[in-house]
Amino acid sequence: MPGTWYQVDNVAKLFIATNNRRDPRVFRVCCTLDTDIDPDCLDQALRLTARQFPNFQVTLHRGLFWNYLESTDKQPAAVPETLAPCAPVYGPDRLNELLYRVSYYGPRINVEMFHALSDGNGGLLFLKALVCQYLKLQHPEELAHLVPETVAPAASLAQDSYRQFYGAAARRDAVPRRACRLRGSHLPYDQTQFFEAHLPVKAVLSAARAEGVTLTSWLGARLMLAIYAETPQLERRRPVAISLPVNLRNYYPSETARNFFNSIRVGHQFTGAETPASLAADFDAALKLELSEERVKARMDGFEQFEQLPFVKPVPLVIKNQVVGAITRFQERYSTATLSNLGVIKTPPELSPWLRGFAAMSSTSGLFACVCSWNQDLVICLSSAYRGTGVARRFFGGMAAEGMDVTLYANEVVTG
């Protein structure tokens, strides 16, 4: 209800302080159905779904010391897709607006969110609820007895889980080395190129298991190799480092639909003797070490600890944003690219006849890969802010050369 407000979570403060036209800090989750979308039906389903997620029906405001979210009576509306993927949702020209957008094109439903509102897992929760409502309206007889996935109570969805589970655990991370950075000019007009690849799940899983690694490690090693091949010689003295978001709901009993993740890094200093299999094994060992419960929880507490310092709270917001932005830019020196694996998307089996697939992607000022799977379809969306397409060609081309059946799509961009 209007008048209810929330302080933004810890990670949201970072996204608010660093969003810009090049990277508006927006992610997209989308679902493709078997037939073209009925706009009126989608609008009705959206209104029903919005009632289940009151914490998303908010606008963002600036306070003296912190930003905050305030509930609003504004009703979401589904619109035809006319903007580029992950176009800005929040900015100076979009004040007092909802922080997410629902659009449709042909048989596809898109949900795009400003990352200060939620993370990919929260966005998927909303999308799946929306798709379920839409299909129940479209097929009332066949789905009359469908019981949708239970959505957590409003208080749980709106929980700031960073603060809820903060325990001030000691954090002892090794000092990271500065990572190699991709060189080359950015696309003009703040554009981003999106490559969407579809691969058979069984084939990729079989290849990963044959090397004794997880799917994330298998993909991470291939991405590292593609980046290294496109790295200028002088930059090769630095390690290639992949940043990987970690869903903290796997470590804490949280049902929040807000942000609840942190990031780890896996780096490798190339010697030139690496093979895809040997690199995947090294990646997997480093990833498992970083994903240990002790390290993940200590990292979460270390991130939250800064906000708990008594001298931080009275600092004016404008200064905090400048400091957060500077720290974020400094931290970016230690990552070459990002790989986010949202995992297997599970839906009620009754919906399967009308579903064709899911995908996820993110805005970026560099290189960002989102991975998810549904049924037997593995989808990798690679976002790139660069003119050059060498990394994408090597990444997906390398999989095809290993015998993978790769179907690739890309959006159009203006390069001149």
Side-chain angles (χ1 to χ4, degrees):
M1 58 181 295
T4 302
W5 66 276
Y6 317 90
Q7 183 173 314
V8 298
D9 60 66
N10 210 328
V11 170
K13 293 165 186 171
L14 181 153
F15 293 125
I16 294 169
T18 58
N19 85 95
N20 52 54
R21 291 183 61 84
R22 165 58 67 190
D23 182 1
R25 301 293 193 171
V26 172
F27 68 86
R28 168 187 283 198
V29 287
C30 51
C31 177
T32 302
L33 305 183
D34 64 326
T35 57
D36 286 356
I37 301 302
D38 178 335
D40 293 333
C41 187
L42 181 59
D43 249 344
Q44 185 180 350
L46 179 55
R47 288 193 295 272
L48 292 171
T49 305
R51 296 173 191 168
Q52 297 177 276
F53 293 84
N55 59 301
F56 286 171
Q57 314 314 308
V58 294
T59 53
L60 179 61
H61 303 276
R62 296 168 61 93
L64 179 59
F65 301 110
W66 292 117
N67 292 99
Y68 63 95
L69 301 168
E70 185 173 21
S71 297
T72 178
D73 280 333
K74 289 180 179 292
Q75 292 294 313
V79 298
E81 182 182 11
T82 57
L83 302 172
C86 302
V89 174
Y90 171 78
D93 57 338
R94 293 176 177 82
L95 299 177
N96 299 316
E97 297 292 336
L98 292 172
L99 301 177
Y100 70 94
R101 173 172 55 238
V102 174
S103 64
Y104 57 90
Y105 181 83
R108 189 179 61 215
I109 299 172
N110 309 305
V111 174
E112 294 173 311
M113 289 188 175
F114 183 36
H115 223 320
L117 183 64
S118 184
D119 56 23
N121 288 281
L124 276 174
L125 192 65
F126 184 90
L127 173 65
K128 290 195 294 181
L130 175 60
V131 169
C132 186
Q133 292 283 9
Y134 176 83
L135 290 176
K136 279 177 67 69
L137 292 171
Q138 283 279 292
H139 308 281
E141 294 183 5
E142 297 95 325
L143 298 176
H145 302 293
L146 173 64
V147 179
E149 293 183 48
T150 302
V151 175
S156 297
L157 292 172
Q159 181 188 77
D160 183 345
S161 291
Y162 291 107
R163 181 163 298 184
Q164 177 71 20
F165 297 107
Y166 169 66
R171 180 178 178 181
R172 297 184 179 88
D173 285 347
V175 177
R177 289 184 59 192
R178 185 170 178 176
C180 77
R181 303 292 291 172
L182 289 166
R183 300 299 179 185
S185 57
H186 283 86
L187 286 163
Y189 314 115
D190 299 320
Q191 297 174 100
T192 302
Q193 181 132 43
F194 296 91
F195 302 91
E196 182 179 311
H198 293 254
L199 298 90
V201 170
K202 286 185 178 179
V204 182
L205 279 178
S206 295
R209 287 168 181 161
E211 295 179 6
V213 300
T214 65
L215 184 144
T216 299
S217 297
W218 193 89
L219 291 173
R222 269 67 183 173
L223 182 58
M224 274 188 171
L225 286 166
I227 291 170
Y228 179 73
E230 292 294 314
T231 300
Q233 196 67 38
L234 286 176
E235 277 288 298
R236 291 185 176 184
R237 68 186 188 278
R238 303 188 189 279
V240 177
I242 305 296
S243 176
L244 300 104
V246 177
N247 180 11
L248 293 175
R249 298 168 185 84
N250 295 330
Y251 295 85
Y252 298 90
S254 172
E255 295 181 292
T256 186
R258 298 172 70 179
N259 286 302
F260 197 40
F261 74 97
N262 60 24
S263 294
I264 62 175
R265 293 188 190 90
V266 173
H268 181 83
Q269 180 63 63
F270 277 80
T271 65
E274 291 80 4
T275 65
S278 68
L279 184 57
D282 290 346
F283 194 107
D284 197 61
L287 180 61
K288 287 176 180 175
L289 179 64
E290 292 297 327
L291 288 178
S292 67
E293 185 171 345
E294 180 183 2
R295 286 203 177 205
V296 168
K297 291 189 173 183
R299 190 177 296 107
M300 197 281 279
D301 280 357
F303 194 76
E304 178 73 14
Q305 200 166 20
F306 176 76
E307 187 178 344
Q308 303 300 323
L309 297 174
F311 62 82
V312 170
K313 295 182 180 181
V315 176
L317 177 61
V318 63
I319 297 176
K320 283 176 178 156
N321 282 344
Q322 291 174 353
V323 172
V324 170
I327 292 174
T328 302
R329 288 188 292 273
F330 181 80
Q331 289 292 326
E332 286 175 350
R333 303 190 309 167
Y334 302 113
S335 295
T336 312
T338 299
L339 173 63
S340 177
N341 188 353
L342 293 173
V344 179
I345 298 175
K346 298 178 181 178
T347 55
E350 297 91 336
L351 301 183
S352 296
W354 299 282
L355 298 179
R356 293 296 176 266
F358 288 82
M361 59 192 71
S362 175
S363 64
T364 183
S365 59
L367 202 65
F368 197 120
C370 286
V371 183
C372 67
S373 66
W374 177 83
N375 203 357
Q376 291 304 311
D377 185 28
L378 177 70
V379 183
I380 307 170
C381 290
L382 183 67
S383 313
S384 173
Y386 299 103
R387 285 177 181 266
T389 60
V391 172
R393 286 188 289 106
R394 291 181 183 274
F395 183 45
F396 297 120
M399 293 183 214
E402 292 188 52
M404 303 292 166
D405 182 11
V406 182
T407 302
L408 187 63
Y409 305 91
N411 66 320
E412 293 185 2
V413 292
V414 178
T415 58

